[in-house]
Amino acid sequence: MEKMIFIDKPFVSDFLRNTIKENGFTVVKTKIAEKLGFNKGVNILDEENAIQQAKSSEDILIYTISENSIGWIAKHLSSTKLPQKIELFKDKVKFRTLIKSMYPDFYFREIQLYELDDLSLENIPMPFIIKPAVGFFSMGVYKVTGPGKWEQVKKAIREEILRSKDFYPTEVLNTRSFIIEQCIEGEEFAVDAYFDGTGDPVILNIHKHIFSSNEDVSDRIYISSKEIIESNIDQFSVFLKKIGKLSGVKNFPVHAEIRRERTGSVLPIEINPMRFGGWCTTADAAHLAYGFNPYVLYFSQKRPEWKEILKNKEGKLYSIIVLDNSTGTEGTQIASFDYDLLLSNFEKPLELRKIDYEEYPVFGFLFTETKEENILELERILKSDLKEFITVNE
């Protein structure tokens, strides 16, 4: 079976680079891949051969580390079924339409950017969520609790569009069209998985997304643990199996964001296609926490041996901390970020990834191991606006 990886911005981890090299995985030689150093020393496949291979076999295994590659797939593989399968998940309106039979009473509607000011709230259930129909990384996601909040949100949406318009291609973030949907209350989880050659889901990691308040929609902290995985994997597998049947996807990696309501029912927030967590986060976190390599398992079509993997993991929390720029100061106005001070706040940092905060609205990603009794260290960073770590240009 042919296998290929698409490399793209915004970030490629050292762990993924080493995985590609050690396993001889094939990288498609796009211009971006070359700029990111994938032009020698690994198996390189030029674009024309990649197109021909993808067209000649439906059993090909493709992984994209970034949704930026979706544009390449849409352009060059339009004669295959893959772009349509991707769009079923990437376009949130199409996704809600796909799963309507699972949730017939769920409220959602599409609205264009130019319609924001004329929208009547009369028949929309409160609270509701508004977000780009094609979006990424919590950009443009807002919770509306009433008419006053709606006025604030409209202004914030327009300001964020101006700030983020150059960060991602339109296949990844398109702010011309939005989806309004009823607010799903309950615990939120992020699940890395893939649908195998028969369409069965294989779960590779589960993180619980924790928030600082009911208004919080940020991506600050995701926690994985033995308890989180063991208590959710069966229910989430059943849920993904239903999604797989409706969509008909096979050999298809996903990053699912889901919520479980107080009633126990599971509803999807969104399911991101062809990748695990963005910025090489959740897949790499599985390796840091549990010792296995999700990329290798996907390409070899194997399942994690969870019973064995979770031995001796009691009482340990494995976190991804997203250091998004919540300071209120533009990255170009920040002279420095004190990463050493940040690390001193945690008992066992596993890995710190510094990001160019002048180019992207994030200072970095921190992976940690925390004893359950020390959860206060996570609660502190969850509520921090990170101003304590920055020095502003004079």
Side-chain angles (χ1 to χ4, degrees), residues 258-276:
I258 60 183
R259 274 208 167 136
R260 182 169 50 234
E261 296 182 310
R262 289 193 183 93
T263 59
S265 59
V266 170
L267 285 84
I269 300 169
E270 60 189 43
I271 298 183
N272 300 286
M274 299 309 296
R275 65 169 175 86
F276 305 134

Side-chain angles (χ1 to χ4, degrees), residues 115-128:
E115 297 178 294
L116 288 181
D117 284 329
D118 297 326
L119 179 70
S120 170
L121 303 182
E122 190 174 340
N123 296 316
I124 300 176
M126 290 283 181
F128 67 82

Side-chain angles (χ1 to χ4, degrees), residues 189 205-208 222-232 289-290 306 310 313-319 370 372:
F189 300 87
N205 205 354
I206 300 173
H207 281 86
K208 186 174 182 179
Y222 292 83
I223 299 174
S224 184
S225 70
K226 172 184 170 75
E227 190 276 331
I228 287 170
I229 290 171
E230 288 183 339
S231 61
N232 293 292
Y290 305 119
W306 283 115
L310 294 175
K313 294 295 183 181
E314 292 85 359
K316 297 177 180 178
L317 305 175
Y318 296 97
S319 301
T370 306
E372 284 184 351

